[in-house]
């Protein structure tokens, strides 16, 4: 399947919100209580779109995946012992694969796209966090070469904060 990446418009907020609702329902069905009806919500999605941070991946006229990329860090990131603190970076937020297409390499391809875009735009590292009780997210990021550099405790539990140096 050919995947295309694009930035959505504000007209697509509720389509994307429904995508996240399906992802949350699927995570809960798998015992992963990472997200809920509070987060991510339509206002978060609209803000991501308005700032130009949100990306969607589509294939065969279906929404496959969504993710936001920017340089916004949660305050807990400030306390982390970054290996590359002075390098330009991007942060990945809210990567979510349509349950219909999970376990097909969509998230890996999305992260490869993020890496290529980051390099093209001058970033040297990628930062992100993942819920410690999400074995799929943890395994994905570890397999892509992300290293745990710290932890944060947010409303839903413990999260790994991770960093990856991009190929030069």
């Amino acid at each position: 399947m050919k995947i295309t990446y694009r930035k959505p418009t504000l007209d697509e907020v509720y389509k994307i919100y429904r995508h996240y609702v399906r992802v949350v329902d699927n995570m809960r069905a798998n015992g992963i209580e990472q997200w809920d009806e509070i987060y991510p919500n339509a206002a978060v999605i609209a803000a991501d779109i308005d700032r130009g941070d949100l990306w969607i991946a589509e294939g065969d006229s279906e929404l496959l995946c969504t993710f936001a990329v920017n340089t916004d860090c949660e305050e807990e990131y400030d306390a982390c012992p970054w290996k590359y603190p002075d390098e330009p970076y991007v942060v990945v937020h809210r990567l979510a694969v349509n349950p219909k297409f999970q376990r097909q390499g969509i998230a890996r391809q999305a992260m490869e796209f993020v890496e290529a875009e980051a390099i093209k735009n001058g970033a040297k590292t990628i930062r992100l966090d993942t819920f410690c009780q999400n074995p799929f997210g943890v395994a994905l990021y570890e397999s892509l070469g992300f290293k745990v550099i710290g932890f944060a405790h947010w409303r839903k539990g413990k999260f790994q904060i991770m960093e990856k140096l991009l190929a030069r």
Side-chain angles (χ1 to χ4, degrees):
M1 167 183 356
K2 180 177 177 351
I3 299 175
T4 58
Y5 297 91
R6 68 176 178 87
K7 294 192 177 192
T9 66
L10 283 171
D11 294 342
E12 297 175 282
V13 167
Y14 289 101
K15 172 178 94 172
I16 295 165
Y17 175 70
R18 285 189 302 275
H19 160 74
Y20 277 103
V21 168
R22 285 188 295 275
V23 170
V24 168
D25 289 346
N26 186 66
M27 288 189 335
R28 284 180 163 167
N30 285 292
I32 301 168
E33 293 293 330
Q34 177 176 342
W35 292 337
D36 55 24
E37 56 283 339
I38 296 171
Y39 179 88
N41 59 42
V44 168
I45 295 163
D48 282 344
I49 293 171
D50 195 47
R51 285 190 310 268
D53 295 343
L54 192 67
W55 288 88
I56 61 175
E58 296 172 311
D60 296 335
S61 301
E62 293 206 57
L63 177 59
L64 305 176
C65 176
T66 56
F67 53 89
V69 181
N70 56 37
T71 56
D72 297 343
C73 295
E74 297 294 332
E75 120 181 10
E76 289 81 356
Y77 280 44
D78 294 340
C80 289
W82 299 105
K83 279 190 80 171
Y84 312 100
D86 299 322
E87 297 289 354
Y89 63 86
V90 297
V91 183
V92 177
H93 307 273
R94 295 176 290 284
L95 175 66
V97 176
N98 180 336
K100 182 177 170 181
F101 298 98
Q102 288 179 357
R103 300 201 174 249
Q104 296 180 32
I106 303 296
R108 177 173 299 280
Q109 290 177 60
M111 289 303 297
E112 289 168 357
F113 172 82
V114 169
E115 288 188 26
E117 286 291 303
I119 291 167
K120 184 168 75 174
N121 291 308
K124 303 294 184 201
T125 68
I126 296 178
R127 298 176 179 180
L128 54 80
D129 56 76
T130 191
F131 189 51
C132 291
Q133 299 302 311
N134 181 343
F136 307 106
V138 170
L140 169 70
Y141 297 125
E142 287 176 351
S143 75
L144 290 169
F146 282 84
K147 304 295 182 207
V148 176
I149 55 91
F151 295 92
H153 294 271
W154 287 308
R155 183 176 63 87
K156 298 297 278 186
K158 186 175 179 183
F159 288 73
Q160 295 180 168
I161 299 175
M162 305 178 88
E163 178 181 40
K164 178 178 180 178
L165 181 66
L166 299 172
R168 298 184 187 243

